[in-house]
Amino acid sequence: MFFASDNTSTVHPKIMDALAKANDGYAAPYAEDRWTAELTERLRDLFQAPDALVYPMMSGTGTNAALLAAMTPPWGTIYCHQSAHVDVDERNSVPFYSGGAKLMPLTGRGSRLDPQELGLEVRKGKAAEDIHISPPAAVSITNLTEFGELYRPEDISQIADAAKLPLHLDGARFANAMAASGASPWEMTRELSTLSLGATKTGAMGAEAAVLFDPSYQEAFESQRMRGGHNLSKARYVSAQILAWLDDDLWLDLATHANAMGARLAQGIAEIGGELPYHVDGNLVFARLPRIMHVKAKAKGAIYHLADHDTGLIGDPETPLMARFVTSWSTTEADVDALLAAFVSDL
Amino acid sequence: MFFASDNTSTVHPKIMDALAKANDGYAAPYAEDRWTAELTERLRDLFQAPDALVYPMMSGTGTNAALLAAMTPPWGTIYCHQSAHVDVDERNSVPFYSGGAKLMPLTGRGSRLDPQELGLEVRKGKAAEDIHISPPAAVSITNLTEFGELYRPEDISQIADAAKLPLHLDGARFANAMAASGASPWEMTRELSTLSLGATKTGAMGAEAAVLFDPSYQEAFESQRMRGGHNLSKARYVSAQILAWLDDDLWLDLATHANAMGARLAQGIAEIGGELPYHVDGNLVFARLPRIMHVKAKAKGAIYHLADHDTGLIGDPETPLMARFVTSWSTTEADVDALLAAFVSDL
Amino acid sequence: MFFASDNTSTVHPKIMDALAKANDGYAAPYAEDRWTAELTERLRDLFQAPDALVYPMMSGTGTNAALLAAMTPPWGTIYCHQSAHVDVDERNSVPFYSGGAKLMPLTGRGSRLDPQELGLEVRKGKAAEDIHISPPAAVSITNLTEFGELYRPEDISQIADAAKLPLHLDGARFANAMAASGASPWEMTRELSTLSLGATKTGAMGAEAAVLFDPSYQEAFESQRMRGGHNLSKARYVSAQILAWLDDDLWLDLATHANAMGARLAQGIAEIGGELPYHVDGNLVFARLPRIMHVKAKAKGAIYHLADHDTGLIGDPETPLMARFVTSWSTTEADVDALLAAFVSDL
Amino acid sequence: MFFASDNTSTVHPKIMDALAKANDGYAAPYAEDRWTAELTERLRDLFQAPDALVYPMMSGTGTNAALLAAMTPPWGTIYCHQSAHVDVDERNSVPFYSGGAKLMPLTGRGSRLDPQELGLEVRKGKAAEDIHISPPAAVSITNLTEFGELYRPEDISQIADAAKLPLHLDGARFANAMAASGASPWEMTRELSTLSLGATKTGAMGAEAAVLFDPSYQEAFESQRMRGGHNLSKARYVSAQILAWLDDDLWLDLATHANAMGARLAQGIAEIGGELPYHVDGNLVFARLPRIMHVKAKAKGAIYHLADHDTGLIGDPETPLMARFVTSWSTTEADVDALLAAFVSDL
């Protein structure tokens, strides 16, 4: 019963096979290899973006930070939701890479940015025209969000219209978002300047693609990637993972499965009286359940995170506690059902 | 009718005299002079802090940034009010000096930090103990606040108790806060680790003192001051200003006068129906007045800032517009009365 | 005839097998897995360093930068050879990660640091005790050096004695250095505070271990690793590579082979009149050969780098041009002999 | 007998008068005042540079760092002499402000850059075109140099021709260089992109002008100035100093006097057998004198710095020790003669 994160899963066998196949002969280092060239073509086609630049990366944090740092001067402001991974979970990686840029956390609606609030803040920032004030530089959204909610293409268009700023998408769970939306890759990315396309959480070993829809960021991004230590010498083994991940829509199949497991879990939790404060659009389920249910589930060996730092398993058994459950490509229906059963089991 | 800022005033004659007197003979550079030695002794006595370290500075932003950067690792979090100058008006100086530290803006009560909200955020940060999360490092308060409100010593104690973190005070208007509170210098600073003591806005030419109540920050602060370009060679001329400012309580006299002018202005505004959304504790007056009154005042030559970036003088004459008025040591009663008269003058 | 770099080779089959074996079941992310725990034990034993901390990494540049940044304040000086990868080939990664620290490039003897020169510079730095001057913080050496020379344990002791500063070793080719020296792992590392242990160039897919012999760097290093984007979620796949690399001394076998190929190449080059300006201690061969020989070798398809940026294949055929040849675990005797034959082939 | 530095002198009376005169009425803050506007006009005329941008500053280090940071990306290389203040004496201010740029120290000829060496290094850097390598961004020269030597306009042209990069001049002693060269301000600056024009060492209280001959640096420089804490509120008092300094060529008169005192001292030292390893072009005299002479001079109260960190007054009386003597606008012939007499006095 592993629901702690989708990064605890193994690598999908097809991706392992691709690594074995790529392990053949000499290859130019630093992403000058033929796998990376092919990856670039594949993603340009997928996103209908013939000028896009593509870089194999192995770290979501590194990809986000190097992209955002390429999109802002050190004195700029980047707008994000207050739950954004880039602001909350990367130990100040964005001010670090950018040399001091500010992430301005917004309240949003649920776990998503609110176009109205965003528009207001950006207008204030642009109107200031005062050397004291950090000027608006970019917007970063996460899809799926940190709380598992989905931006559909029309939501992203509203964000873009409201801000009129370069837009970055943190796609650690981009496959889940795609599977949930039914949109085409072009529809989902047409407003973006840059994309962190994460495969690691959806079956890869350690593979992200940095996609620059706006190629004017090339020098800044490549420089940040290099000095950040993300210009990998044996990059072919990253690109080969993503190619296999894209083949025959494996990425969408894996995400569709993970999402289905999330939906099954959410429904089961609702049925036992749990509260679901966010839309469960994909493979992240946040739920409030009575403490006693958590005690039981943990006693049965379920692994997942309680989301409130101040509380724990000791205390009034009826108090509802928020928890985060993550399903993945390797979660089975039996896993979900076992967890649901554990909540209502005997101690 | 100059109410744009207290930094538009001249230098007080006694401070000019002190500069002339200090202009005598050779002096060791880089704050090794006898004026600076005397300043250190004077501030140690004033604050009853025999171990405090004192540095003459010329810039409030530089002082704030170098102090805060000495109090946090690059991956730390510094808590401040969402209106704090260090977060809003210094073009990302704190992430710059600190190498990436995050300022976490809090909503607060009015323009001051709310101890409860602060305590909750700090507890969450400390409880995390997760390498992803930026750990709590320090708190920064501004006294008077950016909106002219006062922290009394007991307020500062509540902040300190709630956070249990090193505490910095941005004292760009410290003299105004002292004059408003009637507290002793020791009472106002006993909870502080560091203080930016600003004299520039209260009659000096360009003089701040960085005060390290906690001398363990010495190496970090001196290094930040040096590499930031704030280790002035002819520091005697800064220290001499502050000495004259302290002599015979000149600083408190000037601040008391400025505050009285603020009170006079606030009362007059209330009498003509203006709304005062913040306590007017010192020399900063924020007020909402009908647009027509601003039109009239500006027509008569009054100089001050409208506080809302989205609006201006064109529009419905009755709409209330927020403005900021700042009085200073050189503001006269006649100045205040002229401004008040202008609001209700004929066009 | 691939001699451009040892990072153009494939992954050794035993390491591929280890990856496949590690692909089994859920594992805690962020290096909390059992492979990483085992790696820590293995390296503690190997280096006889029971307190050492070990972190799986994917990037040599990232490992070097995060380690060095943990060893210096932003205002410190790190001494290195003027050819050091950290100074020359990482696009300012060290000033970036450290927030401004200075790498002081020294002339050295050949491609290695000269203890006398180092000692003199460090003494000057320490004697200064002036806030203007960047104080000595650490020393970084590369073994094998960028030009393929070896530091033996006694050389490292001389460096350590001369500097009396924390010492970092960039071990991108540590296995080659170990194989060349015949020293024990403890002998080679006993003077070190930190080590970048690189497996990528010696048969791994993308695997480095950051080793902190001095555990006091823990918080700083873990923070730099995190905000730099090097805290990998699926770290087990990195640790598993290094474990397989260490098993049955595979690392030393692979390096011994690569070194033997380097020696064979060097001897052959000497026999055809090439000049070898550096000791060929391992798998890096720098040689000056007449331009015509390069023309021939390149015409036959040999791949390697000319080392002088200002010259190329066009020009006087007899002018000697410096080139760099790198052998690896997968270089064969036939590869070497083919290259040697190409130099003296007909056009 | 104060020869420690030209920053130990007082402020020239005419500059004090100008401060008193500027202390009149309200003035817009942050360099929006009429003194600064006049200063801009005056310097545009002086340098025949109608598009130049001018900023009043109070710190040479801050001016240098903010200018150079505006001229390079964080991953760039700035070339300077190995004795340059920006590299040696500013505690890593340039990598700090620039977010990681590298200063490459060159050996030069004497204390000046050697155009040939510079050209070679820049060509190597430009030819690399490798993401690993930090690309050439700018050159910084100091005039007078740290050892008191002069670049004449033709020397600067050679530097500019060799590098073909934006050129910065650290003019902490620009007035001394001008007085020594007899060149026109235009001749001395026509190759420059930026200039740190220092008045502090030549009679001001604390006043530098940052001059951007290339106005394309405006946004970057103003941003660095702001976040560095160098956008002074009461800037009129800085600009007023420089205006008075320029009036009636006061700056050149003061520098001419200081230079004459330097020449007198150098001649006297030569006559008593001292060795002068650098050309004494202005007000900096470096000389090797037998230790016994230093003992005598210090016993008579002379204040100056021994330049070798490893030695002191204890030891063989005949060993020559290098010292630095600085004359200033307030040094008198009697001061110089007293120092010369002290060297050969009885103990």
Side-chain angles (χ1 to χ4, degrees):
Chain A
M1 290 188 288
F2 290 84
F3 294 88
S5 179
D6 34 9
N7 61 26
T8 65
S9 293
T10 52
V11 180
H12 190 273
K14 288 188 179 170
I15 294 174
M16 290 302 291
D17 287 352
L19 284 174
K21 229 180 278 175
N23 198 36
D24 181 29
Y26 292 87
Y30 303 119
E32 300 290 331
D33 59 272
R34 65 180 172 79
W35 292 264
T36 303
E38 188 184 338
L39 178 63
T40 296
E41 286 317 305
R42 290 281 290 278
L43 291 179
R44 286 175 171 173
D45 285 355
L46 189 74
F47 296 124
Q48 301 176 40
D51 298 327
L53 300 175
V54 172
Y55 302 86
M57 307 283 286
M58 91 292 192
S59 149
T61 294
T63 306
N64 287 337
L67 284 174
L68 287 171
M71 297 168 72
T72 180
W75 43 85
T77 297
I78 298 168
Y79 301 85
C80 64
H81 189 272
Q82 61 185 4
S83 69
H85 203 272
V86 291
D87 190 33
V88 174
D89 292 302
E90 301 187 350
R91 211 168 179 90
N92 299 354
S93 63
V94 173
F96 168 42
Y97 270 77
S98 63
K102 183 198 305 198
L103 284 161
M104 183 175 287
L106 303 180
T107 308
R109 271 187 266 164
S111 64
R112 304 186 307 170
L113 282 180
D114 171 0
Q116 265 199 298
E117 180 194 15
L118 173 66
L120 186 69
E121 288 296 330
V122 172
R123 270 202 311 284
K124 264 169 53 182
K126 286 185 177 171
E129 291 197 348
D130 177 341
I131 195 69
H132 290 74
I133 311 295
S134 308
V139 177
S140 179
I141 58 174
T142 311
N143 204 13
L144 300 184
T145 73
E146 294 299 314
F147 289 94
E149 293 184 310
L150 173 69
Y151 289 98
R152 294 180 187 280
E154 56 269 31
D155 301 322
I156 299 178
S157 291
Q158 284 181 25
I159 300 282
D161 288 350
K164 295 185 179 55
L165 287 174
L167 183 56
H168 165 256
L169 192 150
D170 175 355
R173 295 187 180 93
F174 186 77
N176 302 92
M178 287 299 301
S181 72
S184 79
W186 173 78
E187 288 170 324
M188 192 62 102
T189 58
R190 68 187 173 212
E191 304 282 7
L192 303 183
S193 295
T194 64
L195 166 68
S196 302
L197 175 60
T200 308
K201 287 182 159 68
T202 320
M205 181 181 282
E208 319 273 324
V211 185
L212 274 59
F213 295 105
D214 179 344
S216 74
Y217 298 126
Q218 178 174 9
E219 191 201 340
F221 175 76
E222 291 186 1
S223 296
Q224 297 287 5
R225 177 183 65 139
M226 180 65 227
R227 69 180 195 146
H230 295 281
N231 187 17
L232 299 173
S233 57
K234 293 184 168 175
R236 64 165 133 171
Y237 297 101
V238 175
S239 296
Q241 290 178 58
I242 308 179
L243 286 170
W245 189 71
L246 295 170
D247 275 348
D248 303 322
D249 286 341
L250 177 64
W251 64 306
L252 295 176
D253 292 346
L254 298 182
T256 299
H257 174 80
N259 290 0
M261 294 304 99
R264 184 182 188 95
L265 178 58
Q267 186 181 338
I269 285 176
E271 286 169 4
I272 60 173
E275 187 198 349
L276 298 160
Y278 297 95
H279 295 121
V280 178
D281 288 325
N283 67 324
L284 283 172
V285 180
F286 282 77
R288 277 200 200 87
L289 290 162
R291 178 181 276 119
I292 184 66
M293 289 195 184
H294 294 300
V295 171
K296 289 174 178 176
K298 299 260 174 182
K300 296 275 189 247
I303 297 180
Y304 59 88
H305 293 295
L306 292 180
D308 186 334
H309 291 300
D310 270 354
T311 58
L313 293 180
I314 310 299
D316 171 29
E318 294 312 315
T319 307
L321 299 184
M322 174 88 102
R324 185 186 84 153
F325 306 92
V326 194
T327 58
S328 82
W329 74 270
S330 63
T331 305
T332 63
E333 294 192 356
D335 291 334
V336 172
D337 296 344
L339 175 61
L340 289 168
F343 288 134
V344 294
S345 62
D346 298 330
L347 259 184
Chain B
M1 291 190 287
F2 289 84
F3 294 89
S5 179
D6 32 9
N7 61 26
T8 65
S9 292
T10 53
V11 180
H12 190 273
K14 288 189 180 172
I15 294 173
M16 290 301 291
D17 287 351
L19 283 174
K21 228 180 279 175
N23 198 35
D24 182 28
Y26 291 88
Y30 303 118
E32 299 290 331
D33 60 89
R34 66 180 171 78
W35 292 264
T36 303
E38 189 185 336
L39 178 62
T40 297
E41 286 316 306
R42 290 281 290 280
L43 290 181
R44 285 174 172 174
D45 285 356
L46 189 76
F47 295 124
Q48 302 176 39
D51 297 329
L53 300 175
V54 171
Y55 302 85
M57 308 284 286
M58 259 189 87
S59 149
T61 293
T63 306
N64 287 338
L67 285 174
L68 287 170
M71 297 168 73
T72 181
W75 44 85
T77 298
I78 297 169
Y79 301 86
C80 64
H81 189 272
Q82 62 185 5
S83 69
H85 203 272
V86 291
D87 190 33
V88 174
D89 292 302
E90 302 187 350
R91 210 167 180 89
N92 299 354
S93 63
V94 172
F96 167 41
Y97 270 77
S98 64
K102 182 197 305 196
L103 285 161
M104 184 176 285
L106 303 179
T107 308
R109 273 187 266 167
S111 64
R112 303 185 309 168
L113 282 180
D114 172 358
Q116 264 198 298
E117 180 194 15
L118 173 65
L120 186 69
E121 287 297 328
V122 172
R123 269 202 312 285
K124 265 170 51 184
K126 287 185 176 170
E129 291 197 346
D130 177 341
I131 196 68
H132 290 74
I133 311 295
S134 308
V139 177
S140 180
I141 59 175
T142 311
N143 204 12
L144 301 183
T145 72
E146 295 300 314
F147 289 93
E149 294 184 309
L150 173 69
Y151 289 97
R152 296 181 184 281
E154 56 269 30
D155 300 323
I156 299 178
S157 291
Q158 283 180 25
I159 300 282
D161 289 350
K164 293 184 180 58
L165 286 174
L167 184 56
H168 165 257
L169 193 150
D170 176 355
R173 295 187 179 92
F174 187 77
N176 301 91
M178 287 299 301
S181 73
S184 78
W186 174 78
E187 288 170 324
M188 193 63 100
T189 59
R190 68 185 174 212
E191 304 282 7
L192 303 182
S193 295
T194 64
L195 167 67
S196 301
L197 175 60
T200 308
K201 288 181 158 67
T202 320
M205 180 181 283
E208 319 273 324
V211 184
L212 275 60
F213 295 106
D214 179 344
S216 74
Y217 297 126
Q218 178 174 8
E219 192 202 338
F221 175 74
E222 291 186 2
S223 296
Q224 297 286 6
R225 177 183 63 138
M226 180 65 226
R227 70 181 192 143
H230 294 281
N231 186 18
L232 299 172
S233 58
K234 292 184 169 177
R236 63 165 134 172
Y237 298 101
V238 176
S239 296
Q241 289 180 57
I242 308 180
L243 287 170
W245 189 69
L246 294 170
D247 277 346
D248 304 321
D249 286 342
L250 177 63
W251 63 307
L252 295 176
D253 292 347
L254 298 182
T256 300
H257 173 81
N259 289 0
M261 294 304 98
R264 185 183 188 93
L265 178 58
Q267 188 181 336
I269 285 176
E271 286 170 4
I272 60 173
E275 186 199 349
L276 300 160
Y278 297 96
H279 294 122
V280 178
D281 288 324
N283 68 323
L284 284 173
V285 180
F286 282 78
R288 276 198 200 89
L289 289 162
R291 179 180 276 120
I292 184 67
M293 289 197 183
H294 295 299
V295 171
K296 290 174 175 178
K298 300 259 173 182
K300 295 277 188 243
I303 296 179
Y304 59 87
H305 292 294
L306 292 180
D308 187 333
H309 291 300
D310 271 353
T311 58
L313 294 179
I314 310 300
D316 170 29
E318 293 312 313
T319 306
L321 299 184
M322 174 86 100
R324 185 187 85 152
F325 306 92
V326 194
T327 59
S328 81
W329 74 271
S330 63
T331 306
T332 63
E333 294 192 356
D335 292 335
V336 173
D337 296 346
L339 175 60
L340 289 168
F343 288 134
V344 294
S345 62
D346 297 332
L347 260 185
Chain C
M1 292 188 287
F2 289 84
F3 294 88
S5 178
D6 32 10
N7 61 25
T8 64
S9 294
T10 52
V11 180
H12 191 273
K14 289 189 179 172
I15 294 173
M16 291 301 290
D17 288 351
L19 283 174
K21 228 180 278 175
N23 198 35
D24 181 29
Y26 292 88
Y30 303 119
E32 300 290 330
D33 60 90
R34 66 180 171 79
W35 292 265
T36 303
E38 188 184 338
L39 178 63
T40 297
E41 286 317 305
R42 291 281 291 279
L43 291 181
R44 284 175 173 174
D45 284 355
L46 188 75
F47 295 125
Q48 302 177 37
D51 298 328
L53 300 175
V54 171
Y55 302 85
M57 307 284 286
M58 258 190 87
S59 147
T61 293
T63 306
N64 287 338
L67 285 173
L68 287 170
M71 298 169 73
T72 181
W75 43 85
T77 298
I78 297 169
Y79 301 86
C80 64
H81 189 272
Q82 62 186 4
S83 69
H85 202 271
V86 291
D87 191 33
V88 175
D89 291 303
E90 302 186 352
R91 210 165 181 91
N92 299 354
S93 64
V94 173
F96 167 41
Y97 269 78
S98 64
K102 182 197 306 197
L103 285 162
M104 183 176 286
L106 302 179
T107 308
R109 273 187 264 165
S111 63
R112 304 185 310 168
L113 282 180
D114 171 359
Q116 264 198 299
E117 180 194 15
L118 173 65
L120 185 70
E121 286 297 329
V122 173
R123 270 202 311 286
K124 264 170 52 183
K126 288 185 177 172
E129 291 196 348
D130 177 341
I131 196 67
H132 290 74
I133 310 295
S134 307
V139 177
S140 179
I141 59 174
T142 310
N143 204 14
L144 299 183
T145 72
E146 295 299 314
F147 289 95
E149 293 184 310
L150 173 70
Y151 288 99
R152 296 180 183 281
E154 56 269 30
D155 301 322
I156 299 178
S157 291
Q158 284 180 25
I159 300 283
D161 288 350
K164 293 184 180 56
L165 286 174
L167 183 57
H168 165 258
L169 192 149
D170 176 355
R173 295 188 180 92
F174 187 78
N176 301 92
M178 286 301 301
S181 73
S184 79
W186 173 78
E187 288 171 325
M188 192 62 101
T189 59
R190 68 186 174 213
E191 304 281 8
L192 302 183
S193 296
T194 64
L195 167 67
S196 302
L197 174 61
T200 308
K201 288 181 159 67
T202 320
M205 181 182 283
E208 318 273 323
V211 185
L212 274 60
F213 295 105
D214 179 344
S216 73
Y217 298 126
Q218 178 175 9
E219 191 201 338
F221 175 74
E222 291 186 2
S223 296
Q224 296 287 5
R225 177 183 63 137
M226 179 65 226
R227 70 180 193 144
H230 294 282
N231 186 18
L232 298 173
S233 58
K234 293 186 168 175
R236 64 167 134 171
Y237 298 101
V238 175
S239 295
Q241 289 179 58
I242 308 180
L243 286 170
W245 189 69
L246 294 170
D247 277 347
D248 303 322
D249 286 341
L250 177 63
W251 64 305
L252 294 176
D253 291 348
L254 299 182
T256 299
H257 173 81
N259 289 0
M261 294 304 98
R264 184 183 188 95
L265 178 59
Q267 187 180 336
I269 285 176
E271 286 171 3
I272 61 173
E275 186 198 351
L276 299 160
Y278 297 96
H279 294 122
V280 178
D281 288 324
N283 67 322
L284 284 172
V285 180
F286 282 78
R288 277 200 201 87
L289 289 161
R291 178 180 276 118
I292 185 65
M293 289 196 182
H294 294 300
V295 172
K296 290 174 176 176
K298 299 259 174 181
K300 295 274 188 247
I303 297 179
Y304 59 87
H305 292 295
L306 292 180
D308 187 334
H309 292 299
D310 270 353
T311 58
L313 294 180
I314 311 300
D316 170 29
E318 293 312 312
T319 307
L321 298 185
M322 175 86 101
R324 185 186 86 152
F325 307 92
V326 194
T327 59
S328 82
W329 73 270
S330 62
T331 305
T332 62
E333 293 192 357
D335 291 334
V336 173
D337 296 346
L339 174 61
L340 289 168
F343 288 135
V344 294
S345 62
D346 297 331
L347 260 185
Chain D
M1 290 188 290
F2 289 82
F3 293 89
S5 179
D6 33 9
N7 60 26
T8 66
S9 293
T10 53
V11 180
H12 190 273
K14 289 188 180 172
I15 294 173
M16 290 301 291
D17 287 351
L19 283 173
K21 228 179 281 175
N23 199 36
D24 182 29
Y26 292 87
Y30 303 117
E32 299 291 330
D33 59 272
R34 64 179 171 80
W35 292 264
T36 303
E38 188 184 339
L39 178 63
T40 296
E41 286 317 305
R42 291 281 289 280
L43 291 180
R44 285 175 172 174
D45 284 355
L46 189 74
F47 296 123
Q48 301 176 39
D51 298 328
L53 300 175
V54 172
Y55 303 84
M57 307 283 286
M58 91 290 192
S59 149
T61 294
T63 307
N64 287 337
L67 285 174
L68 288 170
M71 298 167 72
T72 180
W75 43 84
T77 298
I78 298 169
Y79 300 85
C80 64
H81 189 272
Q82 61 185 3
S83 69
H85 203 272
V86 291
D87 189 34
V88 174
D89 292 302
E90 301 187 350
R91 210 169 180 88
N92 299 354
S93 63
V94 173
F96 167 42
Y97 269 77
S98 63
K102 183 198 304 198
L103 285 161
M104 185 176 285
L106 302 179
T107 308
R109 272 187 265 165
S111 63
R112 303 186 309 169
L113 281 181
D114 171 0
Q116 265 199 298
E117 179 194 15
L118 173 65
L120 186 69
E121 287 296 330
V122 173
R123 270 203 311 284
K124 264 168 53 182
K126 287 184 176 171
E129 290 196 348
D130 177 342
I131 196 68
H132 290 75
I133 311 294
S134 309
V139 177
S140 179
I141 59 174
T142 311
N143 203 14
L144 302 180
T145 73
E146 295 299 313
F147 289 94
E149 294 184 310
L150 173 70
Y151 289 97
R152 295 179 185 281
E154 56 269 31
D155 301 322
I156 299 177
S157 292
Q158 284 180 25
I159 300 282
D161 289 349
K164 293 184 180 56
L165 286 174
L167 183 56
H168 164 257
L169 191 150
D170 176 356
R173 295 187 179 92
F174 187 77
N176 302 93
M178 287 300 301
S181 72
S184 79
W186 174 77
E187 288 170 325
M188 192 62 101
T189 58
R190 68 185 173 212
E191 304 281 9
L192 302 183
S193 296
T194 64
L195 166 67
S196 301
L197 175 59
T200 308
K201 287 181 158 69
T202 320
M205 180 181 284
E208 319 273 324
V211 185
L212 275 59
F213 295 105
D214 179 344
S216 74
Y217 298 127
Q218 178 174 9
E219 192 203 338
F221 175 75
E222 291 186 2
S223 296
Q224 297 286 5
R225 178 183 64 138
M226 180 64 228
R227 69 180 194 144
H230 294 282
N231 187 17
L232 299 173
S233 58
K234 293 185 168 176
R236 63 166 134 172
Y237 298 101
V238 175
S239 295
Q241 290 179 57
I242 308 179
L243 286 170
W245 189 69
L246 294 169
D247 276 346
D248 303 322
D249 286 342
L250 177 62
W251 63 306
L252 294 176
D253 292 348
L254 299 183
T256 299
H257 173 81
N259 289 0
M261 294 304 99
R264 185 181 188 94
L265 178 58
Q267 186 180 338
I269 285 175
E271 286 170 4
I272 60 173
E275 186 198 350
L276 298 161
Y278 297 95
H279 294 122
V280 178
D281 288 324
N283 68 323
L284 283 172
V285 180
F286 282 77
R288 276 199 201 88
L289 290 162
R291 178 180 276 117
I292 185 65
M293 289 195 182
H294 293 301
V295 171
K296 289 174 176 175
K298 299 261 174 180
K300 296 278 189 243
I303 296 180
Y304 59 87
H305 293 296
L306 292 179
D308 186 335
H309 290 299
D310 271 353
T311 58
L313 293 180
I314 310 300
D316 171 30
E318 293 311 315
T319 307
L321 299 185
M322 174 86 103
R324 184 187 86 152
F325 307 92
V326 193
T327 58
S328 83
W329 73 270
S330 63
T331 305
T332 62
E333 294 192 356
D335 291 335
V336 173
D337 296 346
L339 174 60
L340 289 168
F343 288 135
V344 295
S345 64
D346 298 331
L347 260 186

